[in-house]
C-alpha cells in the first residue's frame, strides 16, 4: 500500500496535484516568451507529451528528454490539431490542459520525431502509446516548454538564456512531481549540467557500440552512460547517449532496443 504524506495524500495524488500547479507556471513561461521573436504562435506551452494517467499506473515510470518543442507541433494550417485545445483562455484550466497533453499520442503526434525514441523505449518495456507496452512513457523538454522558430540550435544566445531561465526550473519541478525511474537523454553534452538533482553516483559507461547497425566500424564509438540521481525522493537512473539530428540517432533501431533493455536491467538490478 502506498505510503501517505503528513496531509494524508498518497505520493501519486500529491504528484498529480503538483503537476496541476505547474500548469500555471507553464502558461506564465509561455506568456513571458511572447516578447521573443522566435516564439511560435498561436500555440501553447507543452509541459509534457503523453498519457499522464497511464504513466502513473505503469510498473516502470519512464521519461525521455529533449530541448524544447518543435514548431511542427503547431502546424500553420491548423495549430491545435495535435492537441484538443482551441487557443482560448479555457485551455489554461488545469484539468482541460492536462487532458490535452495526455491525448497527444492518441491524436496526431509528430510521429517521425518521436519514432526515433520508440525502439529504445520498447527495449525497456515501454512506449509512448498507452497499451502498446507494459509501461507508458512521457516526453519532457529540459530547456523550455515553448515551441520556437527556429529550433533551439538556431536561436541566439540571449533568447536561449531567456527561455532557459523559466524552462529549466519548470523541468526540474516537473520531474520531481513525475518521480521517474528511468530517464533517457540524447542532447548536447553541455545540457547534462542542467540536471540539478542530487547525484547518487558518477556517470558510468554501460554500453559501447563500436560498429554501426550495418556492421561497419565506427570512427568514433558510440557510448551510452548512466548515472543515478535522487528525484522527488526516489532513485532515478539517467541514461545518456550523444546527440545527433534525432535522439540516439547514431544507433540503429536494433541497437536502440538493446540499449533500452540494458537500461531496464540495470535499473532492475539496483543500478
Amino acid at each position: 500500500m502506498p505510503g501517505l504524506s503528513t496531509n494524508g495524500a498518497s505520493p501519486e495524488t500529491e504528484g498529480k496535484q503538483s503537476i496541476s500547479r505547474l500548469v500555471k507556471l507553464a502558461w506564465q513561461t509561455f506568456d513571458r516568451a511572447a516578447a521573443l521573436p522566435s516564439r511560435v504562435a498561436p500555440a501553447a506551452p507543452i509541459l509534457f507529451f503523453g498519457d499522464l494517467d497511464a504513466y502513473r499506473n505503469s510498473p516502470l515510470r519512464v521519461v525521455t528528454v529533449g530541448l524544447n518543442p518543435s514548431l511542427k507541433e503547431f502546424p500553420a494550417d491548423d495549430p491545435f490539431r495535435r492537441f484538443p485545445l482551441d487557443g482560448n483562455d479555457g485551455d489554461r484550466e488545469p484539468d482541460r490542459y492536462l487532458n490535452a497533453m495526455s491525448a497527444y499520442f492518441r491524436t496526431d503526434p509528430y510521429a517521425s520525431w518521436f519514432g526515433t525514441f520508440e525502439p529504445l523505449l520498447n527495449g525497456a518495456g515501454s512506449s509512448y502509446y498507452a497499451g502498446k507496452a507494459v509501461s507508458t512513457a512521457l516526453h519532457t523538454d529540459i530547456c523550455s516548454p515553448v515551441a520556437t522558430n527556429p529550433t533551439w540550435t538556431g536561436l541566439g544566445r540571449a533568447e536561449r538564456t531567456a527561455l532557459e531561465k523559466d524552462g529549466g526550473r519548470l523541468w526540474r519541478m516537473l520531474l520531481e512531481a513525475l518521480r521517474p525511474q528511468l530517464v533517457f537523454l540524447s542532447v548536447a553534452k553541455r545540457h547534462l549540467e542542467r540536471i540539478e538533482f542530487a547525484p547518487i553516483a558518477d556517470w558510468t559507461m554501460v554500453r559501447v557500440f563500436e560498429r554501426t547497425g550495418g556492421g561497419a566500424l565506427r570512427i568514433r564509438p558510440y557510448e551510452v552512460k548512466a548515472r543515478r540521481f535522487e528525484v522527488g525522493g526516489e532513485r532515478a537512473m539517467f541514461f545518456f547517449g550523444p546527440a545527433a539530428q534525432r535522439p540516439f540517432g547514431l544507433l540503429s533501431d536494433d541497437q536502440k532496443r538493446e540499449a533500452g533493455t540494458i537500461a531496464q536491467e540495470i535499473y532492475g538490478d539496483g543500478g
Side-chain angles (χ1 to χ4, degrees):
M1 180 178 179
L4 299 179
S5 66
T6 54
N7 64 9
S10 69
E12 290 77 10
T13 299
E14 280 197 329
K16 193 165 186 177
Q17 292 171 345
S18 296
I19 292 174
S20 294
R21 290 193 289 269
L22 293 182
V23 173
K24 180 178 180 180
L25 294 180
W27 278 105
Q28 289 175 349
T29 296
F30 181 78
D31 291 340
R32 278 192 284 269
L36 303 177
S38 63
R39 193 194 77 166
V40 174
I46 305 178
L47 188 57
F48 61 85
F49 298 77
D51 191 322
L52 181 59
D53 286 339
Y55 167 84
R56 286 284 187 197
N57 293 324
S58 294
L60 187 65
R61 295 187 298 276
V62 182
V63 165
T64 59
V65 181
L67 298 179
N68 78 312
S70 167
L71 63 94
K72 293 183 180 181
E73 298 299 352
F74 301 96
D77 61 332
D78 187 3
F80 296 102
R81 80 172 191 227
R82 300 193 192 279
F83 302 93
L85 297 170
D86 56 23
N88 295 321
D89 285 345
D91 295 338
R92 298 178 181 235
E93 193 278 320
D95 285 344
R96 177 182 170 89
Y97 174 86
L98 292 174
N99 286 339
M101 299 300 106
S102 291
Y104 179 78
F105 289 103
R106 301 192 302 270
T107 307
D108 182 25
Y110 181 16
S112 63
W113 192 88
F114 284 104
T116 63
F117 261 127
E118 265 294 293
L120 184 75
L121 293 174
N122 295 165
S126 185
S127 172
Y128 289 125
Y129 301 89
K132 185 177 178 180
V134 175
S135 297
T136 302
L138 296 183
H139 180 76
T140 66
D141 286 302
I142 194 171
C143 292
S144 177
V146 178
T148 58
N149 183 14
T151 58
W152 191 262
T153 55
L155 295 176
R157 181 178 296 180
E159 286 194 83
R160 290 198 302 266
T161 299
L163 290 167
E164 288 172 344
K165 182 177 180 180
D166 286 337
R169 172 173 171 264
L170 184 62
W171 180 78
R172 183 179 69 251
M173 295 171 68
L174 174 62
L175 258 65
E176 288 173 346
L178 291 176
R179 297 167 53 246
Q181 294 162 307
L182 286 184
V183 180
F184 291 110
L185 309 91
S186 183
V187 295
K189 192 173 183 179
R190 65 179 180 275
H191 291 294
L192 296 182
E193 298 175 1
R194 302 181 59 77
I195 302 173
E196 299 178 357
F197 303 111
I200 299 173
D202 292 330
W203 286 103
T204 303
M205 196 82 65
V206 296
R207 180 68 165 92
V208 178
F209 291 94
E210 296 183 347
R211 296 185 178 276
T212 66
L217 190 66
R218 295 177 185 269
I219 297 174
R220 178 178 297 177
Y222 190 93
E223 300 175 345
V224 180
K225 298 181 180 180
R227 189 178 193 183
R228 285 181 292 165
F229 293 87
E230 183 178 317
V231 181
E234 185 162 336
R235 175 177 59 85
M237 292 290 297
F238 283 58
F239 290 84
F240 169 75
Q245 291 293 325
R246 297 288 175 94
F248 293 88
L250 297 177
L251 297 181
S252 68
D253 284 355
D254 285 343
Q255 290 174 328
K256 290 176 187 177
R257 279 187 282 270
E258 179 184 347
T261 299
I262 291 171
Q264 183 184 38
E265 291 173 348
I266 290 175
Y267 181 82
D269 290 341

